[in-house]
Amino acid sequence: MNLFISFVHHFTKMMSMDLKNCAFLILFAFLILCADFGACYARNSMPWRQSRIHLSSVMDKGHSSHHNHKKHNTPLAPAPAPKPKPKPPAPMPVPAPAPKPKPKPPAPAPMPVPAPLAPAPSHKNSTTFNVQDYGAKGDGQTDDMKAFLAAWAAACKVEASTILVPSGSIFLLSPISFAGPNCKPKIIFQLDGKIIAPTSAKAWGSGFLQWIEFTKLTEITIKGEGIIDGQGSVWWKDAAVYAGTDTSQNIPSTGQNRANELNNMVSTQISAELSKMPKTKPTALRFYGSTDVTVTGITIQNSPKMHLKFDSCTNVHVFDISVSSPGDSPNTDGIHLQNSQNVLIHSCNLACGDDCVSIQTGCSNIYIHDINCGPGHGISIGGLGNGNTRACVSNVTVRNTVMRNTMTGVRIKTLQGGSGSANNIMFSNIQVSEVETPIVIDQYYCDKEKCKNQTSAVAVSGITYANIQGTYTVQPVYFACSDNSPCTEISLATIQLKPHQTSHHLYGPFCWKTYGESKTSTVPPIDCLQKGNPSNAPSKIASCQV
Ligand SMILES: *[C@@H]1O[C@H](CO)[C@@H](O)[C@H](O)[C@H]1NC(C)=O
Ligand SMILES: *[C@@H]1O[C@H](CO)[C@@H](O)[C@H](O)[C@H]1NC(C)=O
Ligand SMILES: *[C@@H]1O[C@H](CO)[C@@H](O)[C@H](O)[C@H]1NC(C)=O
């Protein structure tokens, strides 16, 4: 906790510094976080360095591809810093981050292989397994699933091997699982080409939970400049599955995203061919039960459902990836985390039809920074407590993130009847632009048409919002907490949210049963927080200790 506080403290200082100090600061923040998260990323020699190099190019790419430039320039300038004096950071205990133009990629495997175009060598001695050498056609029409599995079977037997999906080809894959647990560690899945999902109902049988799965692996990496394309549009129109809109009581639903969702549901009933697709929509890429997972460089697009999911994984590093699907594609979360710990996600462009990042139960020590989100529903924790379950989420930090045209900005949502807690969560330095509702806690979230009133709730406490600025189109702040389990220790600082010029039907800040304080004055004034603690303060953390 002390470390976390000191992180907050240093972060406020960081806000006042200029870009030249940025590399230094990122290292600094990384060290603090690493201390906080244990030695989780110590093994990767300075992964921040690599990500730093790629950051600007990824950002540029994202601006042109995902976000239409708005004619009006909303004031997205760096926030007025609470402390204007830049102070030199503390002495570093490690070698200074001398920016090398070409940092060595941390590829652990020696790759004594000739260029891919050379005549195929005998692979007996190689650590690289090209799927084309195992029969993959890459013509975009033949199902290459068996060839991929054959290449995987070979790569699996060799430590630090590389399975190569070469550029210049399109590989059609029916649902596939790259399974450990008997594989050697440190396998690299080098994705330079494009992988596409089948669109015929036949290929999906009675339905799959995911299209491409990596399961029970240690030190698994997916990298490259390739694309994973779920070709999801054939699924999106399927209205049979309820889209999970945000239908909680009070939240105004006038926004564009909501309208899109409704349109989508209507248009669906018309299209007949879809009824053939199975009800279960697959996640595009899922990691299950793995440790030390890295995903970098690739683009995941047009997933039928979620794009990238981690379930029961520890030590996850995701950076420099793009997610791209239309803003009205239902349930297409960008990155979804569940039962996973020590997760670092940064330098990503996430554009989709649901949460850019969603964090479900069982997650702790999650650090997310330098994300471009939009279109989408924002970054969300929850919905927690579905079906009266116990949910536990703690130690989540989201910072230096830009949201454009999203439904919410940063959101915590729980369902009535749940138990457990969400605590020690910080959202800082979030820039919003035309976001419907930038700050949301909703303990009445309902993902069905109707949810019944229940007394128990997932306790929400220790939530910090620092430096959240920009424009909203519906309501700046919406805190709807539980009567029986009010939100506690809600802290606001440097909130500056202005209505977007063309917005009508605006609502003021809303709080219900929300305890905490504003540490600074805010725009607009948020005076609905209650001081102190409620008499019925939930025993928050205890409910999640083992
Ligand atoms: C959350 O972080 C604190 C330190 O800041 C640590 O003591 C605690 O164990 C962490 N919680 C989990 C579930 O890892
Ligand atoms: C092939 O692999 C074996 C065992 O790893 C090694 O001893 C041998 O030197 C290798 N040969 C070549 C040509 O690399
Ligand atoms: C739940 O309680 C609220 C407030 O007391 C009430 O307005 C609403 O109608 C109730 N909903 C149901 C489904 O009972």
Side-chain angles (χ1 to χ4, degrees):
M1 196 59 199
N2 284 338
L3 283 165
F4 193 79
I5 288 163
S6 78
F7 168 69
V8 175
H9 178 67
H10 287 294
F11 174 67
T12 10
K13 283 182 192 156
M14 284 164 62
M15 287 307 305
S16 61
M17 308 182 112
D18 62 24
L19 282 171
K20 282 178 194 156
N21 291 321
C22 215
F24 208 70
L25 291 171
I26 285 173
L27 170 63
F28 192 50
F30 183 80
L31 286 172
I32 290 165
L33 257 289
C34 234
D36 219 9
F37 289 5
C40 44
Y41 300 110
R43 198 182 354 80
N44 299 339
S45 63
M46 294 192 257
W48 54 268
R49 181 183 284 179
Q50 201 184 22
S51 68
R52 171 81 196 130
I53 305 288
H54 293 191
L55 181 57
S56 57
S57 68
V58 165
M59 293 300 191
D60 292 345
K61 192 169 71 186
H63 284 297
S64 52
S65 62
H66 297 313
H67 309 297
N68 34 346
H69 288 287
K70 296 283 160 176
K71 51 259 151 212
H72 59 92
N73 269 335
T74 28
L76 286 182
K83 288 177 193 167
K85 285 180 287 183
K87 194 183 149 198
M92 308 294 298
V94 291
K100 273 190 211 165
K102 277 191 185 173
K104 258 206 171 140
M111 297 207 286
V113 195
L117 288 179
S122 155
H123 284 272
K124 293 214 172 76
N125 244 26
S126 172
T127 58
T128 296
F129 302 85
N130 184 334
V131 293
Q132 286 179 326
D133 293 333
Y134 290 83
K137 293 267 186 301
D139 60 7
Q141 306 199 335
T142 312
D143 184 358
D144 286 326
M145 187 259 277
K146 291 211 168 104
F148 272 60
L149 281 183
W152 175 257
C156 168
K157 296 193 184 105
V158 180
E159 181 164 337
S161 61
T162 295
I163 175 165
L164 175 65
V165 182
S167 63
S169 296
I170 300 175
F171 300 91
L172 175 69
L173 286 191
S174 53
I176 189 167
S177 177
F178 299 103
N182 297 320
C183 290
K184 295 279 200 258
K186 300 188 182 161
I187 297 174
I188 295 172
F189 193 95
Q190 179 73 36
L191 177 63
D192 293 326
K194 184 173 183 179
I195 296 177
I196 60 172
T199 52
S200 72
K202 202 173 145 225
W204 294 98
S206 56
F208 283 77
L209 287 169
Q210 55 275 324
W211 168 36
I212 301 172
E213 176 186 61
F214 287 83
T215 169
K216 309 222 168 131
L217 291 157
T218 305
E219 297 181 67
I220 175 74
T221 296
I222 295 190
K223 65 187 186 72
E225 296 179 346
I227 296 172
I228 292 177
D229 189 333
Q231 307 209 92
S233 60
V234 289
W235 305 78
W236 297 334
K237 295 169 204 139
D238 185 355
V241 185
Y242 182 75
T245 53
D246 297 69
T247 51
S248 65
Q249 286 91 335
N250 298 322
I251 198 159
S253 57
T254 51
Q256 189 56 41
N257 285 307
R258 183 62 190 285
N260 287 342
E261 279 169 344
L262 292 174
N263 282 341
N264 198 48
M265 291 173 82
V266 173
S267 72
T268 61
Q269 273 130 25
I270 312 163
S271 70
E273 114 239 9
L274 292 186
S275 48
K276 290 188 232 134
M277 298 307 269
K279 269 224 170 79
T280 307
K281 293 191 284 183
T283 288
L285 175 59
R286 177 214 196 205
F287 288 86
Y288 176 78
S290 296
T291 58
D292 302 309
V293 181
T294 301
V295 178
T296 183
I298 64 170
T299 295
I300 309 171
Q301 63 194 31
N302 300 324
S303 177
K305 202 176 173 196
M306 294 165 178
H307 286 79
L308 173 59
K309 177 171 177 172
F310 296 92
D311 187 354
S312 305
C313 292
T314 51
N315 301 347
V316 173
H317 190 189
V318 178
F319 62 102
D320 286 347
I321 72 156
S322 291
V323 163
S324 175
S325 64
D328 61 357
S329 53
N331 306 116
T332 54
D333 298 47
I335 303 173
H336 181 81
L337 306 174
Q338 189 171 321
N339 291 317
S340 293
Q341 298 85 40
N342 303 341
V343 178
L344 175 59
I345 300 172
H346 63 94
S347 315
C348 297
N349 286 308
L350 307 176
C352 57
D354 206 302
D355 295 326
C356 289
V357 182
S358 50
I359 300 169
Q360 251 298 348
T361 185
C363 289
S364 58
N365 299 342
I366 311 295
Y367 182 32
I368 297 168
H369 67 88
D370 292 284
I371 301 294
N372 277 324
C373 166
H377 291 189
I379 293 183
S380 296
I381 295 171
L384 303 176
N386 201 356
N388 296 358
T389 53
R390 192 179 74 134
C392 297
V393 172
S394 62
N395 299 357
V396 177
T397 297
V398 179
R399 47 185 290 261
N400 292 5
T401 285
V402 176
M403 316 250 181
R404 287 190 183 86
N405 298 98
T406 53
M407 187 173 80
T408 67
V410 290
R411 171 169 60 160
I412 298 170
K413 46 184 178 174
T414 73
L415 291 96
Q416 295 183 73
S419 60
S421 76
N423 78 87
N424 199 9
I425 292 163
M426 177 159 85
F427 301 106
S428 78
N429 198 19
I430 312 290
Q431 297 183 346
V432 296
S433 175
E434 291 181 63
V435 168
E436 287 177 29
T437 312
I439 299 177
V440 176
I441 297 177
D442 184 0
Q443 290 194 285
Y444 299 90
Y445 179 74
C446 181
D447 59 2
K448 303 188 283 281
E449 266 174 69
K450 209 163 190 193
C451 292
K452 58 175 195 225
N453 286 332
Q454 297 183 72
T455 51
S456 85
V458 178
V460 174
S461 67
I463 317 295
T464 302
Y465 300 89
N467 194 22
I468 314 240
Q469 313 209 14
T471 60
Y472 64 92
T473 60
V474 175
Q475 187 168 30
V477 175
Y478 177 79
F479 291 136
C481 297
S482 159
D483 290 280
N484 296 283
S485 170
C487 302
T488 57
E489 295 168 44
I490 307 302
S491 161
L492 303 174
T494 323
I495 308 296
Q496 288 196 21
L497 295 168
K498 295 175 182 156
H500 175 65
Q501 290 157 359
T502 60
S503 303
H504 311 288
H505 308 299
L506 294 169
Y507 296 76
F510 174 84
C511 315
W512 175 256
K513 301 284 178 187
T514 311
Y515 289 76
E517 62 175 324
S518 281
K519 308 238 156 149
T520 65
S521 62
T522 61
V523 178
I526 300 163
D527 48 21
C528 54
L529 292 175
Q530 299 179 59
K531 292 214 161 59
N533 275 301
S535 53
N536 57 343
S539 63
K540 47 202 176 183
I541 298 156
S543 62
C544 275
Q545 273 165 356
V546 195

